[in-house]
Short mmCIF file of all heavy atoms in Angstrom, two decimals:
data_model
loop_
_atom_site.label_atom_id
_atom_site.label_comp_id
_atom_site.label_asym_id
_atom_site.label_seq_id
_atom_site.Cartn_x
_atom_site.Cartn_y
_atom_site.Cartn_z
N MET I 1 -10.75 -12.62 6.32
CA MET I 1 -9.45 -12.07 6.85
C MET I 1 -9.11 -10.69 6.27
O MET I 1 -9.05 -10.65 5.05
CB MET I 1 -8.41 -13.10 6.80
CG MET I 1 -6.96 -12.59 7.38
SD MET I 1 -5.73 -13.89 7.46
CE MET I 1 -5.51 -14.34 5.79
N LYS I 2 -8.85 -9.74 7.15
CA LYS I 2 -8.51 -8.44 6.66
C LYS I 2 -6.90 -8.41 6.66
O LYS I 2 -6.26 -8.62 7.61
CB LYS I 2 -9.10 -7.30 7.55
CG LYS I 2 -8.75 -6.01 6.97
CD LYS I 2 -9.36 -5.74 5.60
CE LYS I 2 -9.04 -4.30 5.07
NZ LYS I 2 -9.22 -4.23 3.69
N ILE I 3 -6.39 -8.12 5.48
CA ILE I 3 -4.84 -8.15 5.40
C ILE I 3 -4.36 -6.70 5.49
O ILE I 3 -5.01 -5.74 4.95
CB ILE I 3 -4.51 -8.69 4.02
CG1 ILE I 3 -4.96 -10.10 3.89
CG2 ILE I 3 -2.93 -8.52 3.77
CD1 ILE I 3 -4.23 -11.09 4.81
N ARG I 4 -3.25 -6.54 6.12
CA ARG I 4 -2.53 -5.23 6.33
C ARG I 4 -1.11 -5.44 5.49
O ARG I 4 -0.60 -6.50 5.66
CB ARG I 4 -2.30 -4.83 7.74
CG ARG I 4 -1.88 -3.41 7.94
CD ARG I 4 -1.91 -3.07 9.32
NE ARG I 4 -0.45 -3.17 9.74
CZ ARG I 4 0.04 -4.06 10.60
NH1 ARG I 4 -0.84 -4.80 11.32
NH2 ARG I 4 1.27 -4.15 10.95
N VAL I 5 -0.69 -4.36 4.86
CA VAL I 5 0.53 -4.50 3.98
C VAL I 5 1.56 -3.50 4.52
O VAL I 5 1.26 -2.41 4.88
CB VAL I 5 0.21 -4.14 2.47
CG1 VAL I 5 1.44 -4.23 1.73
CG2 VAL I 5 -0.90 -4.94 2.04
N LYS I 6 2.85 -4.01 4.65
CA LYS I 6 3.93 -3.18 4.86
C LYS I 6 5.18 -3.45 3.84
O LYS I 6 5.24 -4.61 3.48
CB LYS I 6 4.37 -3.57 6.27
CG LYS I 6 5.53 -2.71 6.76
CD LYS I 6 6.04 -3.08 8.15
CE LYS I 6 7.35 -2.41 8.45
NZ LYS I 6 8.03 -3.15 9.51
N VAL I 7 5.99 -2.52 3.70
CA VAL I 7 7.22 -2.83 2.80
C VAL I 7 8.39 -2.75 3.78
O VAL I 7 8.57 -1.75 4.44
CB VAL I 7 7.30 -1.74 1.67
CG1 VAL I 7 8.54 -1.91 1.04
CG2 VAL I 7 6.07 -1.82 0.72
N ASP I 8 9.16 -3.81 3.62
CA ASP I 8 10.49 -3.81 4.39
C ASP I 8 11.40 -3.00 3.47
O ASP I 8 11.91 -3.56 2.51
CB ASP I 8 10.89 -5.25 4.61
CG ASP I 8 12.17 -5.31 5.33
OD1 ASP I 8 12.90 -4.23 5.44
OD2 ASP I 8 12.67 -6.44 5.70
N ARG I 9 11.67 -1.78 3.76
CA ARG I 9 12.43 -0.87 2.96
C ARG I 9 13.94 -1.35 2.92
O ARG I 9 14.52 -1.03 1.85
CB ARG I 9 12.23 0.55 3.42
CG ARG I 9 10.98 1.12 3.11
CD ARG I 9 10.78 2.55 3.54
NE ARG I 9 11.78 3.38 3.07
CZ ARG I 9 11.85 4.10 1.70
NH1 ARG I 9 10.81 3.79 1.07
NH2 ARG I 9 12.79 4.83 1.41
N SER I 10 14.28 -2.00 3.90
CA SER I 10 15.82 -2.51 3.88
C SER I 10 15.91 -3.64 2.93
O SER I 10 16.96 -3.91 2.38
CB SER I 10 16.25 -2.79 5.31
OG SER I 10 15.53 -3.91 5.80
N ALA I 11 14.79 -4.33 2.70
CA ALA I 11 14.79 -5.55 1.73
C ALA I 11 14.43 -5.13 0.31
O ALA I 11 15.00 -5.74 -0.58
CB ALA I 11 13.91 -6.58 2.22
N CYS I 12 13.80 -3.99 0.12
CA CYS I 12 13.25 -3.67 -1.25
C CYS I 12 14.55 -3.32 -2.10
O CYS I 12 15.41 -2.49 -1.79
CB CYS I 12 12.31 -2.42 -1.04
SG CYS I 12 11.69 -1.78 -2.68
N ILE I 13 14.39 -3.86 -3.38
CA ILE I 13 15.53 -3.52 -4.35
C ILE I 13 15.00 -2.79 -5.46
O ILE I 13 15.64 -2.54 -6.41
CB ILE I 13 16.02 -4.95 -4.85
CG1 ILE I 13 14.95 -5.86 -5.50
CG2 ILE I 13 16.86 -5.69 -3.70
CD1 ILE I 13 15.50 -7.02 -6.21
N GLY I 14 13.70 -2.25 -5.34
CA GLY I 14 13.18 -1.36 -6.40
C GLY I 14 12.86 -2.14 -7.73
O GLY I 14 12.91 -1.51 -8.71
N ALA I 15 12.59 -3.45 -7.72
CA ALA I 15 12.19 -4.17 -8.85
C ALA I 15 11.00 -3.66 -9.55
O ALA I 15 10.82 -3.86 -10.66
CB ALA I 15 12.09 -5.68 -8.55
N ALA I 16 10.07 -3.06 -8.75
CA ALA I 16 8.78 -2.39 -9.21
C ALA I 16 7.67 -3.39 -9.64
O ALA I 16 6.76 -2.87 -10.31
CB ALA I 16 9.19 -1.27 -10.20
N GLU I 17 7.82 -4.59 -9.37
CA GLU I 17 6.79 -5.57 -9.75
C GLU I 17 5.52 -5.10 -8.96
O GLU I 17 4.37 -5.21 -9.64
CB GLU I 17 7.15 -7.04 -9.22
CG GLU I 17 8.27 -7.57 -10.07
CD GLU I 17 7.93 -7.76 -11.59
OE1 GLU I 17 6.71 -8.16 -11.86
OE2 GLU I 17 8.82 -7.50 -12.36
N CYS I 18 5.61 -4.73 -7.83
CA CYS I 18 4.39 -4.24 -7.23
C CYS I 18 3.69 -2.98 -7.82
O CYS I 18 2.43 -2.92 -7.79
CB CYS I 18 4.76 -3.87 -5.75
SG CYS I 18 5.95 -2.57 -5.54
N THR I 19 4.41 -2.12 -8.31
CA THR I 19 3.88 -1.00 -9.09
C THR I 19 3.19 -1.36 -10.41
O THR I 19 2.35 -0.78 -10.76
CB THR I 19 4.91 0.21 -9.23
OG1 THR I 19 5.95 -0.29 -10.29
CG2 THR I 19 5.60 0.59 -8.01
N LEU I 20 3.70 -2.34 -11.03
CA LEU I 20 3.23 -2.91 -12.18
C LEU I 20 1.85 -3.65 -12.01
O LEU I 20 0.81 -3.42 -12.82
CB LEU I 20 4.14 -3.78 -12.95
CG LEU I 20 5.43 -3.29 -13.38
CD1 LEU I 20 6.29 -4.40 -13.96
CD2 LEU I 20 5.24 -2.19 -14.55
N ILE I 21 1.73 -4.35 -10.89
CA ILE I 21 0.52 -5.09 -10.66
C ILE I 21 -0.47 -4.21 -9.94
O ILE I 21 -1.76 -4.38 -10.31
CB ILE I 21 0.86 -6.42 -9.72
CG1 ILE I 21 1.79 -7.29 -10.64
CG2 ILE I 21 -0.43 -7.03 -9.21
CD1 ILE I 21 2.34 -8.37 -9.69
N ALA I 22 -0.11 -3.36 -9.05
CA ALA I 22 -1.09 -2.54 -8.28
C ALA I 22 -0.53 -1.06 -8.20
O ALA I 22 -0.20 -0.66 -7.09
CB ALA I 22 -1.31 -3.16 -6.92
N PRO I 23 -0.57 -0.43 -9.37
CA PRO I 23 -0.02 0.95 -9.30
C PRO I 23 -0.76 1.92 -8.33
O PRO I 23 -0.32 2.96 -7.95
CB PRO I 23 -0.02 1.45 -10.76
CG PRO I 23 -1.05 0.55 -11.36
CD PRO I 23 -0.99 -0.80 -10.61
N HIS I 24 -2.11 1.59 -8.11
CA HIS I 24 -2.82 2.49 -7.29
C HIS I 24 -2.62 2.29 -5.76
O HIS I 24 -2.98 3.01 -4.87
CB HIS I 24 -4.38 2.18 -7.54
CG HIS I 24 -4.88 0.86 -7.26
ND1 HIS I 24 -4.40 -0.37 -7.94
CD2 HIS I 24 -5.72 0.35 -6.31
CE1 HIS I 24 -4.99 -1.40 -7.40
NE2 HIS I 24 -5.76 -1.06 -6.47
N ILE I 25 -1.76 1.22 -5.48
CA ILE I 25 -1.43 0.81 -4.09
C ILE I 25 0.13 1.12 -3.95
O ILE I 25 0.49 1.58 -2.84
CB ILE I 25 -1.77 -0.60 -3.75
CG1 ILE I 25 -3.25 -0.79 -3.93
CG2 ILE I 25 -1.27 -0.99 -2.31
CD1 ILE I 25 -3.70 -2.26 -3.70
N PHE I 26 0.93 0.80 -4.84
CA PHE I 26 2.37 1.00 -4.63
C PHE I 26 2.93 1.96 -5.65
O PHE I 26 2.58 2.05 -6.73
CB PHE I 26 3.01 -0.41 -4.87
CG PHE I 26 2.60 -1.45 -3.87
CD1 PHE I 26 1.54 -2.27 -4.10
CD2 PHE I 26 3.38 -1.54 -2.63
CE1 PHE I 26 1.17 -3.25 -3.03
CE2 PHE I 26 2.94 -2.60 -1.75
CZ PHE I 26 1.95 -3.41 -2.04
N SER I 27 4.02 2.64 -5.20
CA SER I 27 4.73 3.57 -6.02
C SER I 27 6.17 3.45 -5.43
O SER I 27 6.37 2.94 -4.35
CB SER I 27 4.16 4.91 -5.89
OG SER I 27 4.30 5.39 -4.49
N LEU I 28 7.17 3.95 -6.25
CA LEU I 28 8.59 3.99 -5.81
C LEU I 28 8.78 5.49 -5.38
O LEU I 28 8.50 6.39 -6.17
CB LEU I 28 9.38 3.56 -6.96
CG LEU I 28 9.32 2.20 -7.51
CD1 LEU I 28 10.36 1.75 -8.50
CD2 LEU I 28 9.52 1.16 -6.22
N ASP I 29 9.57 5.57 -4.43
CA ASP I 29 10.05 7.02 -3.86
C ASP I 29 11.32 7.33 -4.56
O ASP I 29 11.86 6.69 -5.42
CB ASP I 29 10.00 7.04 -2.40
CG ASP I 29 11.00 6.19 -1.73
OD1 ASP I 29 11.94 5.61 -2.46
OD2 ASP I 29 10.96 6.04 -0.57
N ALA I 30 11.83 8.50 -4.10
CA ALA I 30 13.02 9.07 -4.62
C ALA I 30 14.35 8.06 -4.46
O ALA I 30 15.27 8.18 -5.21
CB ALA I 30 13.31 10.30 -3.98
N GLU I 31 14.19 7.23 -3.46
CA GLU I 31 15.31 6.13 -3.16
C GLU I 31 15.03 4.83 -3.97
O GLU I 31 15.87 3.98 -3.70
CB GLU I 31 15.27 5.87 -1.69
CG GLU I 31 15.72 7.14 -0.87
CD GLU I 31 15.68 6.82 0.63
OE1 GLU I 31 15.71 5.59 1.03
OE2 GLU I 31 15.61 7.77 1.40
N ASN I 32 14.10 4.88 -4.92
CA ASN I 32 13.65 3.74 -5.73
C ASN I 32 13.24 2.63 -4.74
O ASN I 32 13.51 1.34 -4.96
CB ASN I 32 14.85 3.32 -6.57
CG ASN I 32 14.33 2.51 -7.78
OD1 ASN I 32 13.18 2.91 -8.39
ND2 ASN I 32 15.09 1.46 -8.29
N LYS I 33 12.54 2.92 -3.69
CA LYS I 33 12.04 1.96 -2.75
C LYS I 33 10.39 2.01 -2.80
O LYS I 33 9.88 3.04 -2.98
CB LYS I 33 12.46 2.21 -1.29
CG LYS I 33 13.91 2.24 -1.07
CD LYS I 33 14.49 0.86 -1.02
CE LYS I 33 15.98 0.97 -0.68
NZ LYS I 33 16.46 -0.39 -0.40
N ALA I 34 9.74 0.76 -2.66
CA ALA I 34 8.44 0.82 -2.69
C ALA I 34 7.72 1.49 -1.53
O ALA I 34 8.29 1.46 -0.38
CB ALA I 34 7.76 -0.62 -2.82
N VAL I 35 6.66 2.19 -1.80
CA VAL I 35 5.70 2.93 -0.78
C VAL I 35 4.33 2.48 -1.04
O VAL I 35 3.91 2.43 -2.09
CB VAL I 35 5.97 4.47 -1.03
CG1 VAL I 35 5.12 5.19 0.04
CG2 VAL I 35 7.35 4.87 -0.92
N VAL I 36 3.70 2.20 0.25
CA VAL I 36 2.29 1.82 0.18
C VAL I 36 1.36 2.93 0.33
O VAL I 36 1.50 3.70 1.29
CB VAL I 36 2.03 0.66 1.33
CG1 VAL I 36 0.60 0.22 1.30
CG2 VAL I 36 2.95 -0.54 1.12
N ASN I 37 0.34 3.00 -0.56
CA ASN I 37 -0.76 3.95 -0.23
C ASN I 37 -1.70 3.23 0.62
O ASN I 37 -2.34 2.39 0.30
CB ASN I 37 -1.45 4.24 -1.60
CG ASN I 37 -2.66 5.14 -1.44
OD1 ASN I 37 -3.38 5.02 -0.43
ND2 ASN I 37 -2.92 6.01 -2.46
N GLU I 38 -1.66 3.60 1.90
CA GLU I 38 -2.30 2.85 2.98
C GLU I 38 -3.85 2.93 2.86
O GLU I 38 -4.53 1.85 3.00
CB GLU I 38 -2.12 3.43 4.32
CG GLU I 38 -0.63 3.38 4.85
CD GLU I 38 -0.10 2.08 5.12
OE1 GLU I 38 -1.02 1.13 5.48
OE2 GLU I 38 1.06 1.78 5.14
N GLU I 39 -4.40 3.99 2.36
CA GLU I 39 -5.89 4.01 2.01
C GLU I 39 -6.26 3.03 0.95
O GLU I 39 -7.22 2.39 1.10
CB GLU I 39 -6.23 5.55 1.77
CG GLU I 39 -7.73 5.64 1.75
CD GLU I 39 -7.96 7.21 1.40
OE1 GLU I 39 -7.40 8.06 1.99
OE2 GLU I 39 -8.97 7.40 0.61
N ALA I 40 -5.51 3.11 -0.20
CA ALA I 40 -5.80 2.18 -1.27
C ALA I 40 -5.65 0.70 -0.84
O ALA I 40 -6.40 -0.12 -1.27
CB ALA I 40 -4.97 2.48 -2.42
N ALA I 41 -4.53 0.50 -0.04
CA ALA I 41 -4.26 -0.85 0.33
C ALA I 41 -5.51 -1.45 1.21
O ALA I 41 -5.81 -2.62 1.25
CB ALA I 41 -3.03 -1.02 1.11
N ALA I 42 -6.03 -0.54 2.08
CA ALA I 42 -7.12 -0.97 2.98
C ALA I 42 -8.42 -1.25 2.16
O ALA I 42 -9.16 -2.21 2.69
CB ALA I 42 -7.39 0.21 3.92
N GLN I 43 -8.56 -0.74 1.02
CA GLN I 43 -9.68 -0.96 0.21
C GLN I 43 -9.49 -2.15 -0.85
O GLN I 43 -10.36 -2.50 -1.51
CB GLN I 43 -10.05 0.31 -0.44
CG GLN I 43 -10.26 1.43 0.32
CD GLN I 43 -11.53 1.30 1.25
OE1 GLN I 43 -12.54 0.71 0.83
NE2 GLN I 43 -11.32 1.72 2.44
N ALA I 44 -8.24 -2.54 -0.92
CA ALA I 44 -7.94 -3.53 -1.98
C ALA I 44 -8.44 -4.93 -1.70
O ALA I 44 -8.67 -5.41 -0.50
CB ALA I 44 -6.39 -3.59 -2.02
N ASP I 45 -8.63 -5.60 -2.77
CA ASP I 45 -8.93 -7.08 -2.81
C ASP I 45 -7.74 -7.86 -2.19
O ASP I 45 -6.70 -7.53 -2.54
CB ASP I 45 -9.31 -7.53 -4.16
CG ASP I 45 -9.70 -8.99 -4.22
OD1 ASP I 45 -10.63 -9.30 -3.62
OD2 ASP I 45 -8.89 -9.82 -4.81
N GLU I 46 -8.05 -8.75 -1.24
CA GLU I 46 -7.13 -9.51 -0.55
C GLU I 46 -6.19 -10.42 -1.57
O GLU I 46 -4.96 -10.50 -1.53
CB GLU I 46 -7.66 -10.45 0.53
CG GLU I 46 -8.08 -9.65 1.80
CD GLU I 46 -8.58 -10.47 2.79
OE1 GLU I 46 -8.26 -11.74 2.83
OE2 GLU I 46 -9.50 -10.01 3.65
N ALA I 47 -6.91 -10.88 -2.64
CA ALA I 47 -6.27 -11.79 -3.63
C ALA I 47 -5.21 -10.88 -4.34
O ALA I 47 -3.98 -11.41 -4.60
CB ALA I 47 -7.22 -12.25 -4.61
N LEU I 48 -5.42 -9.60 -4.56
CA LEU I 48 -4.45 -8.73 -5.22
C LEU I 48 -3.29 -8.52 -4.32
O LEU I 48 -2.07 -8.61 -4.76
CB LEU I 48 -5.14 -7.42 -5.56
CG LEU I 48 -4.28 -6.34 -6.20
CD1 LEU I 48 -3.64 -6.92 -7.43
CD2 LEU I 48 -4.89 -5.01 -6.41
N LEU I 49 -3.48 -8.32 -3.11
CA LEU I 49 -2.40 -8.11 -2.06
C LEU I 49 -1.48 -9.35 -2.04
O LEU I 49 -0.27 -9.26 -2.00
CB LEU I 49 -2.92 -7.72 -0.76
CG LEU I 49 -3.71 -6.45 -0.69
CD1 LEU I 49 -4.32 -6.16 0.70
CD2 LEU I 49 -2.78 -5.27 -1.12
N TRP I 50 -2.22 -10.57 -2.02
CA TRP I 50 -1.23 -11.85 -1.99
C TRP I 50 -0.48 -11.92 -3.19
O TRP I 50 0.60 -12.23 -3.30
CB TRP I 50 -2.14 -12.92 -1.84
CG TRP I 50 -2.63 -13.16 -0.48
CD1 TRP I 50 -3.80 -12.76 0.20
CD2 TRP I 50 -1.90 -13.85 0.64
NE1 TRP I 50 -3.76 -13.09 1.54
CE2 TRP I 50 -2.68 -13.69 1.85
CE3 TRP I 50 -0.61 -14.46 0.70
CZ2 TRP I 50 -2.22 -14.34 2.99
CZ3 TRP I 50 -0.18 -15.04 1.75
CH2 TRP I 50 -1.00 -14.93 3.12
N GLU I 51 -1.12 -11.50 -4.43
CA GLU I 51 -0.47 -11.63 -5.80
C GLU I 51 0.78 -10.77 -5.72
O GLU I 51 1.87 -11.16 -6.16
CB GLU I 51 -1.36 -11.21 -6.82
CG GLU I 51 -0.82 -11.21 -8.26
CD GLU I 51 -1.72 -10.69 -9.28
OE1 GLU I 51 -2.89 -10.53 -9.19
OE2 GLU I 51 -1.21 -10.71 -10.52
N VAL I 52 0.56 -9.49 -5.27
CA VAL I 52 1.71 -8.52 -5.28
C VAL I 52 2.81 -8.98 -4.30
O VAL I 52 3.89 -8.94 -4.76
CB VAL I 52 1.10 -7.06 -4.75
CG1 VAL I 52 2.39 -6.17 -4.63
CG2 VAL I 52 0.16 -6.55 -5.81
N ALA I 53 2.38 -9.40 -3.23
CA ALA I 53 3.44 -9.89 -2.25
C ALA I 53 4.28 -11.09 -2.75
O ALA I 53 5.54 -11.11 -2.77
CB ALA I 53 2.83 -10.30 -0.89
N ASP I 54 3.51 -11.96 -3.50
CA ASP I 54 4.20 -13.15 -4.00
C ASP I 54 5.04 -12.76 -5.32
O ASP I 54 6.12 -13.52 -5.51
CB ASP I 54 3.02 -14.18 -4.53
CG ASP I 54 3.54 -15.47 -4.81
OD1 ASP I 54 4.49 -16.04 -4.01
OD2 ASP I 54 3.36 -16.03 -5.88
N SER I 55 4.78 -11.62 -5.82
CA SER I 55 5.52 -11.29 -7.11
C SER I 55 6.80 -10.51 -6.65
O SER I 55 7.81 -10.43 -7.53
CB SER I 55 4.80 -10.28 -7.92
OG SER I 55 4.62 -8.92 -7.34
N CYS I 56 7.03 -10.16 -5.48
CA CYS I 56 8.30 -9.31 -5.00
C CYS I 56 9.46 -10.24 -4.95
O CYS I 56 9.49 -11.20 -4.09
CB CYS I 56 7.97 -8.74 -3.68
SG CYS I 56 9.46 -7.82 -3.18
N PRO I 57 10.51 -10.08 -5.84
CA PRO I 57 11.70 -10.96 -5.84
C PRO I 57 12.50 -10.84 -4.55
O PRO I 57 13.24 -11.83 -4.22
CB PRO I 57 12.40 -10.46 -7.00
CG PRO I 57 12.05 -9.11 -7.21
CD PRO I 57 10.59 -9.07 -6.83
N ALA I 58 12.31 -9.72 -3.78
CA ALA I 58 13.11 -9.65 -2.51
C ALA I 58 12.31 -9.92 -1.30
O ALA I 58 12.83 -9.80 -0.23
CB ALA I 58 13.56 -8.21 -2.40
N LEU I 59 11.06 -10.37 -1.44
CA LEU I 59 10.19 -10.68 -0.25
C LEU I 59 10.13 -9.48 0.62
O LEU I 59 10.12 -9.63 1.83
CB LEU I 59 10.75 -11.94 0.54
CG LEU I 59 10.65 -13.17 -0.27
CD1 LEU I 59 11.36 -14.36 0.44
CD2 LEU I 59 9.29 -13.65 -0.81
N ALA I 60 10.07 -8.40 0.01
CA ALA I 60 9.99 -7.01 0.82
C ALA I 60 8.59 -6.72 1.15
O ALA I 60 8.43 -5.82 1.93
CB ALA I 60 10.65 -5.94 0.01
N ILE I 61 7.56 -7.25 0.49
CA ILE I 61 6.15 -7.01 0.88
C ILE I 61 5.70 -7.85 2.00
O ILE I 61 5.64 -9.09 1.63
CB ILE I 61 5.23 -6.94 -0.37
CG1 ILE I 61 5.96 -5.93 -1.34
CG2 ILE I 61 3.83 -6.68 -0.03
CD1 ILE I 61 5.11 -5.79 -2.65
N ILE I 62 5.31 -7.29 3.15
CA ILE I 62 4.94 -8.17 4.28
C ILE I 62 3.43 -8.11 4.37
O ILE I 62 2.92 -6.98 4.50
CB ILE I 62 5.69 -7.83 5.42
CG1 ILE I 62 7.19 -7.93 5.17
CG2 ILE I 62 5.34 -8.63 6.69
CD1 ILE I 62 8.06 -7.30 6.19
N LEU I 63 2.78 -9.17 4.60
CA LEU I 63 1.35 -9.17 4.84
C LEU I 63 1.13 -9.60 6.33
O LEU I 63 1.77 -10.61 6.80
CB LEU I 63 0.56 -10.11 3.90
CG LEU I 63 0.83 -9.86 2.48
CD1 LEU I 63 -0.08 -10.92 1.65
CD2 LEU I 63 0.44 -8.56 2.02
N TYR I 64 0.24 -8.98 6.92
CA TYR I 64 -0.23 -9.19 8.28
C TYR I 64 -1.76 -9.52 8.30
O TYR I 64 -2.55 -8.85 7.67
CB TYR I 64 -0.06 -8.06 9.20
CG TYR I 64 1.47 -7.71 9.25
CD1 TYR I 64 2.02 -6.82 8.44
CD2 TYR I 64 2.27 -8.33 10.25
CE1 TYR I 64 3.42 -6.55 8.54
CE2 TYR I 64 3.60 -7.96 10.32
CZ TYR I 64 4.26 -7.15 9.55
OH TYR I 64 5.55 -6.84 9.65
N ASP I 65 -2.21 -10.43 9.14
CA ASP I 65 -3.67 -10.68 9.32
C ASP I 65 -4.18 -9.64 10.27
O ASP I 65 -3.57 -8.73 10.85
CB ASP I 65 -3.86 -12.13 9.77
CG ASP I 65 -3.36 -12.41 11.19
OD1 ASP I 65 -3.10 -11.49 12.06
OD2 ASP I 65 -3.29 -13.61 11.49
N GLU I 66 -5.47 -9.82 10.54
CA GLU I 66 -6.18 -8.72 11.41
C GLU I 66 -5.68 -8.78 12.87
O GLU I 66 -5.97 -7.74 13.58
CB GLU I 66 -7.80 -9.16 11.38
CG GLU I 66 -8.11 -10.38 11.95
CD GLU I 66 -8.23 -11.55 10.94
OE1 GLU I 66 -7.84 -11.42 9.88
OE2 GLU I 66 -8.63 -12.71 11.38
N ASN I 67 -4.99 -9.88 13.22
CA ASN I 67 -4.43 -9.80 14.65
C ASN I 67 -3.06 -9.27 14.71
O ASN I 67 -2.45 -9.21 15.77
CB ASN I 67 -4.38 -11.32 15.23
CG ASN I 67 -5.82 -11.78 15.28
OD1 ASN I 67 -6.77 -11.23 15.73
ND2 ASN I 67 -5.93 -13.17 14.84
N GLY I 68 -2.60 -8.82 13.58
CA GLY I 68 -1.24 -8.36 13.49
C GLY I 68 -0.12 -9.43 13.32
O GLY I 68 1.06 -9.02 13.42
N ASP I 69 -0.53 -10.66 13.12
CA ASP I 69 0.48 -11.69 12.92
C ASP I 69 0.88 -11.73 11.46
O ASP I 69 0.10 -11.59 10.48
CB ASP I 69 -0.24 -13.02 13.18
CG ASP I 69 -0.53 -13.21 14.74
OD1 ASP I 69 0.25 -12.70 15.53
OD2 ASP I 69 -1.57 -13.64 15.00
N GLN I 70 2.16 -11.77 11.23
CA GLN I 70 2.70 -12.02 9.84
C GLN I 70 2.25 -13.24 9.19
O GLN I 70 2.45 -14.18 9.78
CB GLN I 70 4.20 -11.88 9.79
CG GLN I 70 4.88 -11.91 8.49
CD GLN I 70 6.39 -11.59 8.48
OE1 GLN I 70 6.79 -10.82 9.31
NE2 GLN I 70 7.06 -12.15 7.57
N VAL I 71 1.58 -13.07 8.02
CA VAL I 71 1.27 -14.29 7.24
C VAL I 71 1.96 -14.55 5.92
O VAL I 71 1.82 -15.55 5.33
CB VAL I 71 -0.40 -14.21 7.01
CG1 VAL I 71 -1.10 -14.39 8.25
CG2 VAL I 71 -0.76 -12.95 6.22
N TYR I 72 2.70 -13.51 5.46
CA TYR I 72 3.62 -13.64 4.31
C TYR I 72 4.72 -12.60 4.46
O TYR I 72 4.48 -11.41 4.80
CB TYR I 72 2.73 -13.47 3.04
CG TYR I 72 3.53 -13.68 1.80
CD1 TYR I 72 3.64 -14.84 1.27
CD2 TYR I 72 4.43 -12.77 1.19
CE1 TYR I 72 4.32 -15.27 0.13
CE2 TYR I 72 5.20 -13.04 0.15
CZ TYR I 72 5.03 -14.44 -0.47
OH TYR I 72 5.89 -14.66 -1.44
N PRO I 73 5.96 -13.03 4.14
CA PRO I 73 6.35 -14.32 3.87
C PRO I 73 6.45 -15.06 5.21
O PRO I 73 6.66 -14.56 6.23
CB PRO I 73 7.71 -14.24 3.18
CG PRO I 73 8.26 -12.74 3.70
CD PRO I 73 7.05 -12.04 3.91
N GLN I 74 6.40 -16.39 5.17
CA GLN I 74 6.47 -17.28 6.35
C GLN I 74 7.92 -17.60 6.66
O GLN I 74 8.71 -17.79 5.96
CB GLN I 74 5.70 -18.58 6.10
CG GLN I 74 4.29 -18.36 6.08
CD GLN I 74 3.67 -18.04 7.37
OE1 GLN I 74 4.17 -18.40 8.48
NE2 GLN I 74 2.42 -17.48 7.36
#
């Protein structure tokens, strides 16, 4: 299954767990909100993406399957 990642910026609290686990995929912008490096995310290991999403205290990292269906959070 190929996972796609999105950040719900309205939910993001800038905890930065994502940047600690996957700094090549996530960064914080000037508003202290997570931003996804789409190219790096597309190349990332799916297990890493699940780990990052699960680490977000605000559930702001959303994962989608290859059909565009949301698989995390449920």
